[in-house]
Amino acid sequence: MRQYSSGNDIIRVIVILGDFVLLSILIMAFYYLLPQDMLPVYFKSSIKEVLLVSNFSMLIAQYFFHTIIHFRKIRLNVIFLRVLKLTFAQAIVMFVALRIISDGGGLFQFMLIFIPALYATLLIARLTERNVLKFYRKRGGNTRSVVFVGSDPANLMLYKDLIAEPTTGYIVKGYFSNDVIEDCPDEFVKLGSIDDLNKTIESDNYNILVKKVHQKDDSFRLDLIDEFFCCLSHDESEEIIRIMRFCDNNIIHFHYVPRMYGNFRLHLKPERFGDMSLYTNLREPLTYMSNKIVKRLFDIVFSLIACILLLPFIPIIGLIILCQSRGPIFFKQERTGLNGKTFLCYKFRSMHVNSDANTKQATKDDPRKFAFGEFMRKTNIDELPQFFNVLVGDMSVVGPRPHMVYHTEHYRKLIDKYMVRHFSRPGITGWAQVTGFRGETKELWQMEERIRRDIWYIENWSFWLDLKIILMTFTSFFKHDKNAY
């Protein structure tokens, strides 16, 4: 019998013990290295008691905010916030406890130095531990083997998420289904039909032979799989129950993956109703007034600073544009904004004046571009006037990129949920743009993927996500995007 996630439990315990060690080292470093007049009076005479109290405070803080770096899918901003909560919880308990057992002389001033030092120490440790764990998983340690059931596109999307970062430690063996998953990569192999799965479950021999393309064949035991991801219809409830029973009997974690309907994917959250678990639609974060206020205040402050900094450069940029191409300095175009309303979007003009501006996307070797205009497009300089759009409320710093009205009318007929992207204020930069879907969309699938990422952003918005996108956009000034033209 295997202990589920035992590797993760060991990792968590090691990291937690490391926090206690680092805390004790930090306390002793302050004791020996800080000038005596900067130490609280109680520290000088009772350092052992201080160590005991500080470690007891860490124990309480760890109960509420223990490490989560052993999770396989965890974002950096979540780690930063978790360490911050752990630091403040430890510091508050430690301060209160020491204040009770001593006169507190110099304690408050000491805590002002101690808190940022503890946060920096734990954060550096977390990032180091995370990289070590990634390296360990990449080398084959602490892995989780996975099998999928069903041919629904949701399984393919989940598969791509699992293998997107090899250091998460997921090893996907393949999938069982009566049908082949469309557009499935060769690495995601079909292991057999649902009947083949049932025969294997009912037999005493759980061995599965994996026929790989361009690779050596492999085999594994079905009862030694760690995770089952099942995406079958409710009409196949008996099959789902059969798989769940097999997982329970073999200590395998079973997950039901919500199916996709066209491009629609269910996003539900659990709710308790008496003794029953119900599921309801997940409200997008930006439907909450508090989040709207935070995002808008950030937009105003950020765009105001950007506009002030931009003002001295407008005459210089304008003069270069006029030297290379006759026409206005600014290019304005009607684009689709919040709730489907149109607004005038401003840019520095990067093309010669032409009649196709409102219908045709820029291409790689577009003859309409002039030299400085091409440079502006590659470095995003042409987008800077849109900070004025942000300031007046037409746009946000981060959000789905606004499309020209012609493209809105064209793609809304071809792509399901296309108009959902307009529930959010359009942005100067967005999640789709920083994850490889910027520029010309030559094929329909490219626009479909862009829309999926726009909708993902709306459903998963956070202030930290906005900051991450801004940082990723800023790096594009120094690293050329091959899709920027």
Side-chain angles (χ1 to χ4, degrees), residues 296-353:
R296 184 60 189 145
L297 286 176
F298 176 79
D299 283 343
I300 292 172
V301 173
F302 195 97
S303 61
L304 184 60
I305 295 172
C307 288
I308 293 172
L309 296 176
L310 178 62
L311 284 176
F313 294 97
I314 291 178
I316 301 172
I317 295 173
L319 183 60
I320 299 175
I321 291 173
L322 293 176
C323 287
Q324 295 192 4
S325 175
R326 290 185 178 182
I329 296 173
F330 295 102
F331 171 73
K332 57 183 181 180
Q333 184 182 66
E334 282 195 342
R335 298 203 177 185
T336 311
L338 181 64
N339 296 324
K341 296 179 181 178
T342 59
F343 70 98
L344 282 179
C345 180
Y346 289 91
K347 300 175 67 174
F348 284 122
R349 185 169 59 86
S350 59
M351 294 184 175
H352 299 294
V353 177

Side-chain angles (χ1 to χ4, degrees), residues 1-10 142-144 226 250-253:
M1 303 290 281
R2 292 165 296 127
Q3 290 293 324
Y4 173 72
S5 196
S6 58
N8 279 355
D9 288 339
I10 293 172
N142 191 230
T143 57
R144 307 290 296 172
D226 297 300
N250 291 278
I251 320 180
I252 299 171
H253 270 236

